[in-house]
Amino acid sequence: MSASQLDGRVVIVTGAGRSLGRAYANALADAGASVVVNDVDPATAEEAVAEITGRGGRAIASVGPVGPAETAEQLVRDAVEGFGRLDALVANAGVLRDRVLWKMSDDDFDAVVATHLRGTFTTGREAAKRMREQGEGGRIVVIGSPAGQFGSFGQTNYAAVKAGLVAMARTWSLELARDRITANAVIPTALSPMTATIPAYTELYERFVAGEPIPAEVRRESALGSPEDVAPLVVWLASEASADVTGQAIGIGGDRLTLYSHPAVLGEEYSDGGWDADGIDAAWRERFAAQAQHSGPPKRDA
Ligand SMILES: NC(=O)c1ccc[n+]([C@@H]2O[C@H](COP(=O)([O-])OP(=O)(O)OC[C@H]3O[C@@H](n4cnc5c(N)ncnc54)[C@H](O)[C@@H]3O)[C@@H](O)[C@H]2O)c1
């Protein structure tokens, strides 16, 4: 049996009604896990459960908006009442409210923080409590984004929460190490209704939905494939095979698998007694400027 089989494991996937979350739920169930399918949309949550059970898997729906602590408590209760335990959480639910900074409303900002950041915090907290009580280790997978790794025009809210989620995973990897609970961030890229809102990808998404194959160069150069292309990383991170992997940010999309660095110190200078602004200016021009990195996605050779 492969070490990434999940027989007997119980996994919660939030936002699993469609797209990436649905692909994760299907792949986890196919690997043998019992899945608690969460979504704020009851119809898609039920559809996802029917798809899994229809092909012989085990799944139940747990409908509610992630964010409030009550939803997180309900999710863990449903896992334990439905399947007897909890082994892994995949905190995937998310929304976009894109606007440039000067047009972004408080509501745009708060909705994104509430779903991604608070939703992952409250579900992660409840999952950790349950997994610590069980005393048999566990897995937490949070979902970042290239936007959080590099910054992203028009996504103040989203880039901030996605960077924050990676920091959460790093923090939890430290706090939960003694309990053998791993915490990692997946940085996915896939064609979904969410990516379809990005003008450069709208047409590609429409062709994908119409059943056209995704061009090989898009799978490779843009790391864009189907939601199903992302799922094997989530299965692996939920499994015994990845027991020694924690605190990492790992990207996947199309044909590309990526290991991200932790923020690294690029240079250090000292000034006895502290710094003044002129000293900082000189240090910047003479030593740091050449090492400074640009923001935004990496520029790739054509
Ligand atoms: N699609 C990509 O390329 C991409 C890239 C980077 C990160 N992501 C992240 O992956 C995750 C899934 O993205 P997607 O493209 O599948 O998005 P999607 O919009 O297609 O699906 C999101 C799902 O989450 C559900 N949802 C929204 N708010 C919720 C809430 N408060 N509680 C419960 N469920 C809620 C929606 O109903 C929907 O079913 C998100 O966290 C997203 O930020 C996606």
Side-chain angles (χ1 to χ4, degrees), residues 15 18-20 38-40 65-66 92 116 144 158 162 188 190 192 194:
R18 71 175 193 185
S19 314
L20 284 161
N38 159 264
D39 207 283
V40 70
V66 301
N92 162 80
H116 292 268
Y158 186 72
K162 288 306 196 185
S192 80
M194 195 179 267

Side-chain angles (χ1 to χ4, degrees), residues 117 144-145 147-149 158-168 170:
L117 213 47
S145 164
Q149 303 297 101
Y158 186 72
V161 298
K162 288 306 196 185
L165 289 171
V166 175
M168 252 188 213
R170 290 203 183 99

Side-chain angles (χ1 to χ4, degrees), residues 12-93:
I12 295 170
V13 185
T14 69
R18 71 175 193 185
S19 314
L20 284 161
R22 176 103 165 235
Y24 303 157
N26 282 334
L28 291 160
D30 288 348
S34 302
V35 183
V36 178
V37 171
N38 159 264
D39 207 283
V40 70
D41 175 355
T44 57
E46 291 299 345
E47 267 175 35
V49 168
E51 186 177 357
I52 292 171
T53 53
R55 54 194 211 209
R58 283 178 302 277
I60 53 173
S62 182
V63 173
V66 301
E70 296 72 34
T71 306
E73 287 158 11
Q74 187 63 47
L75 276 174
V76 173
R77 230 180 355 257
D78 287 346
V80 174
E81 283 171 12
F83 300 120
R85 54 184 293 112
L86 178 64
D87 299 287
L89 164 72
V90 182
N92 162 80

